[in-house]
Amino acid sequence: MPDRIPQSPSEKTVERLSLYRYLLYGILAEGERNIFSHALAAMAAVSSAQVRQDMMVLGYSGSPNQGYEVGKLIASITEFLDDGHGRNIALVGIGNLGRAILSNFSGQRSRLQIVAAFDVNWQIVNRLIHGCWCFPMEKLHGVMKEQDITLGIVTVPPAAAQVVADQLCEGGVRGILNFAPVRLRVPEDVYVSNLNITVALEKVAYFAHHGMVRVESPSREEAKV
Amino acid sequence: MPDRIPQSPSEKTVERLSLYRYLLYGILAEGERNIFSHALAAMAAVSSAQVRQDMMVLGYSGSPNQGYEVGKLIASITEFLDDGHGRNIALVGIGNLGRAILSNFSGQRSRLQIVAAFDVNWQIVNRLIHGCWCFPMEKLHGVMKEQDITLGIVTVPPAAAQVVADQLCEGGVRGILNFAPVRLRVPEDVYVSNLNITVALEKVAYFAHHGMVRVESPSREEAKV
DNA sequence: TTCTGTTTGTGAAATAACTAACAGCGTTAA
DNA sequence: TTAACGCTGTTAGTTATTTCACAAACAGAA
Ligand SMILES: NC(=O)c1ccc[n+]([C@@H]2O[C@H](COP(=O)([O-])OP(=O)(O)OC[C@H]3O[C@@H](n4cnc5c(N)ncnc54)[C@H](O)[C@@H]3O)[C@@H](O)[C@H]2O)c1
Ligand SMILES: NC(=O)c1ccc[n+]([C@@H]2O[C@H](COP(=O)([O-])OP(=O)(O)OC[C@H]3O[C@@H](n4cnc5c(N)ncnc54)[C@H](O)[C@@H]3O)[C@@H](O)[C@H]2O)c1
């Protein structure tokens, strides 16, 4: 029996699904009940074929005539992305960037919530910042266990990033979002994603001034939006 | 005559070159004069073949015996990425994230420099933040001309992002780094790159808890580092 | 000198990601 | 009732990106 291969989705697919969900909440807020692949595609700046292809990993099917039911689609993406589970996050490094991130993810009622922040600087800790309690690093392990923290965000200077990553891993973290321009060495089963703002800026600078091989055909369907 | 096709490099290649350069500065600071592709590869978390392939877009060749000369390589990447030009940047939206970015790129002596920041909030503007002067939005066009600003960073709330992008484009910007979770509509010749922190975090959450098709072979060369 | 080790540069092979194309199917309009 | 339409699911095809593999190059040892 040729069993269905599990076919775990690519990183890009997961990124797009996350984006679709965000966009769909906007649609829903505007009172729309249904949406077609090409409309969602236009908002996400991808092709409609891409949207439909991405949907294949979800169990949910749209109707050829009504398109996708926005509410159902959000539910499907949510079930796919986080199984209905919420995840608790620790942020380490309450500097400029750390604080900015706290301001966005701390108060949120979302599935992904920063429940504790940590820093070595004693002048910063033991108080609430953007609604998130800040602990000294000594408390990291204990708080992670107490709060069932499984994800970490690293916003410390590059020199401290590896040490912090080690501590997070020891605390049982399963994934890390790293803003320090350093390649973190972690156990095999810990997932790391790096977000390098400097690199992003240099990329913009390059293509802004050297031009790009532009998408030759605006591909009718995107153009008409 | 089979002329050399221009073959503009992919976005990924540019990103990696930027990263290589960053890493190479670190190498240089440690006093190393030369480096092999596999060592650089390990630091950048890519394969050595990838490194060598990326180097092909530069004019510079390493020596089979000594590897790459760090100083020369930095110079080559710099010439390739920015032609020796510095670029002046405007940041719009001096909120939590905007301030964090100012703290990193404002004081810097780098080729990429944030020379002015803008906001609609009158309580914020007309003062120095992290060494960068903050102007009211009304001054945007004038300051952009005066300071020869060609790049913009957008850190305003999603609802304001398109308006801000329009203003930047009218001011003559060539590229935009956008942190708002919105697809910006800009003229054909303006390059836009989006950095969506929420999406990045959700990707980490997904792969942390659902696992990934791990790179099956650590490919000897990476493993031995 | 000659042999040995290793590394680079590079085209070819292999993967991965995206796009095109179309069968199938409700819905609507006669 | 039937035909026409527009959209989805899906597979096949295309393009982009990465890895492989190996000739050529060079330093050092003998
Ligand atoms: N702010 C940006 O725009 C930006 C851009 C690119 C990269 N980054 C990177 O993001 C990271 C944070 O940037 P930032 O601007 O917030 O820096 P920052 O200096 O403002 O903050 C760093 C914080 O980390 C804390 N810290 C230092 N060592 C620590 C340790 N061992 N354990 C716990 N906490 C520790 C410090 O006390 C400080 O509060 C850096 O790695 C930086 O390179 C930031
Ligand atoms: N901080 C984060 O971690 C984070 C994460 C994900 C996304 N983002 C996005 O980044 C952007 C900025 O986030 P933030 O946390 O800094 O928000 P913020 O509310 O702290 O700052 C927004 C700033 O933009 C200014 N502003 C509003 N409208 C403007 C206009 N028309 N022209 C000029 N300035 C204007 C406001 O006065 C304010 O100073 C938002 O789009 C947010 O969705 C931030």
Side-chain angles (χ1 to χ4, degrees), chain A residues 93-97 119-120 137 155-158 160 164 179-181, chain B residues 100-101 104:
Chain A
I94 313 168
N96 294 293
L97 186 55
D119 205 294
V120 280
M137 285 302 284
T155 49
V156 300
V164 165
F179 285 86
Chain B
I101 292 171
N104 253 257

Side-chain angles (χ1 to χ4, degrees), chain B residues 2-223:
Chain B
D3 217 332
R4 167 181 291 282
I5 44 176
Q7 187 70 334
S8 92
S10 73
E11 300 201 358
K12 297 212 172 176
T13 298
V14 171
E15 285 179 3
R16 283 190 300 263
L17 286 171
S18 166
L19 177 60
Y20 298 155
R21 179 169 61 178
Y22 172 86
L23 296 170
L24 288 165
Y25 275 119
I27 301 291
L28 202 62
E30 286 178 358
E32 299 288 337
R33 295 239 152 286
N34 296 281
I35 189 168
F36 294 126
S37 63
H38 60 78
L40 186 54
M43 285 188 293
V46 300
S47 71
S48 65
Q50 182 79 79
V51 169
R52 293 198 300 277
Q53 184 95 268
D54 289 336
M55 295 313 176
M56 287 178 68
V57 304
L58 314 173
Y60 177 67
S61 277
S63 120
N65 217 50
Q66 305 301 126
Y68 303 94
E69 238 177 284
V70 179
K72 294 263 184 70
L73 190 44
I74 290 175
S76 289
I77 296 176
T78 296
E79 183 184 2
F80 178 81
L81 286 183
D82 31 60
D83 271 347
H85 286 251
R87 305 295 180 189
N88 293 332
I89 308 173
L91 180 142
V92 185
I94 312 168
N96 294 293
L97 185 55
R99 263 183 269 253
I101 292 171
L102 283 182
S103 79
N104 253 257
F105 293 95
S106 180
Q108 241 176 213
R109 68 288 164 216
S110 140
R111 296 155 299 279
L112 262 37
Q113 193 170 7
I114 300 179
V115 295
F118 300 86
D119 204 294
V120 280
N121 185 339
W122 284 87
Q123 312 214 284
I124 295 175
V125 298
N126 290 317
R127 62 193 169 106
L128 223 48
I129 293 183
H130 291 300
C132 179
W133 190 261
C134 300
F135 297 91
M137 285 303 284
E138 287 73 23
K139 295 268 179 70
L140 181 67
H141 202 280
V143 173
M144 285 185 71
K145 291 300 171 212
E146 267 168 39
Q147 301 250 34
D148 187 27
I149 288 170
T150 57
L151 301 173
I153 299 177
V154 174
T155 49
V156 299
Q162 183 60 58
V163 180
V164 165
D166 291 345
Q167 290 174 281
L168 283 168
C169 291
E170 203 173 330
V173 100
R174 308 288 305 277
I176 293 175
L177 179 57
N178 173 39
F179 286 86
V182 173
R183 183 257 230 268
L184 300 178
R185 322 206 90 244
V186 299
E188 266 241 335
D189 60 343
V190 175
Y191 179 88
V192 177
S193 179
N194 299 291
L195 216 42
N196 191 324
I197 297 176
T198 304
V199 164
L201 193 53
E202 298 204 331
K203 183 177 74 168
V204 170
Y206 177 84
F207 287 109
H209 290 281
H210 293 76
M212 254 208 98
V213 269
R214 263 281 171 175
V215 183
E216 64 294 329
S217 76
S219 172
R220 276 95 56 242
E221 78 174 340
E222 320 298 349

Side-chain angles (χ1 to χ4, degrees), chain A residues 38-76:
Chain A
H38 60 79
L40 186 53
M43 285 189 293
V46 300
S47 72
S48 65
Q50 182 78 81
V51 169
R52 293 197 301 277
Q53 179 115 260
D54 289 336
M55 295 314 175
M56 286 179 68
V57 304
L58 312 174
Y60 176 66
S61 277
S63 119
N65 217 54
Q66 306 302 125
Y68 303 94
E69 239 179 283
V70 179
K72 294 262 186 68
L73 190 44
I74 290 175
S76 289

Side-chain angles (χ1 to χ4, degrees), chain A residues 21-137:
Chain A
R21 179 169 62 179
Y22 172 86
L23 296 169
L24 288 165
Y25 275 119
I27 301 290
L28 202 61
E30 287 178 356
E32 299 288 337
R33 296 238 151 287
N34 295 281
I35 189 168
F36 294 124
S37 63
H38 60 79
L40 186 53
M43 285 189 293
V46 300
S47 72
S48 65
Q50 182 78 81
V51 169
R52 293 197 301 277
Q53 179 115 260
D54 289 336
M55 295 314 175
M56 286 179 68
V57 304
L58 312 174
Y60 176 66
S61 277
S63 119
N65 217 54
Q66 306 302 125
Y68 303 94
E69 239 179 283
V70 179
K72 294 262 186 68
L73 190 44
I74 290 175
S76 289
I77 296 176
T78 296
E79 183 184 1
F80 178 81
L81 286 184
D82 30 61
D83 271 346
H85 286 251
R87 305 293 180 190
N88 293 333
I89 307 173
L91 180 143
V92 185
I94 313 168
N96 294 293
L97 186 55
R99 263 183 268 252
I101 292 171
L102 283 182
S103 79
N104 254 255
F105 293 94
S106 181
Q108 240 176 210
R109 68 288 165 214
S110 140
R111 297 154 298 279
L112 262 36
Q113 193 169 6
I114 301 180
V115 295
F118 300 86
D119 205 294
V120 280
N121 186 340
W122 284 86
Q123 312 213 283
I124 295 176
V125 298
N126 291 317
R127 60 192 171 107
L128 223 47
I129 293 182
H130 291 301
C132 180
W133 191 260
C134 300
F135 298 89
M137 285 302 284

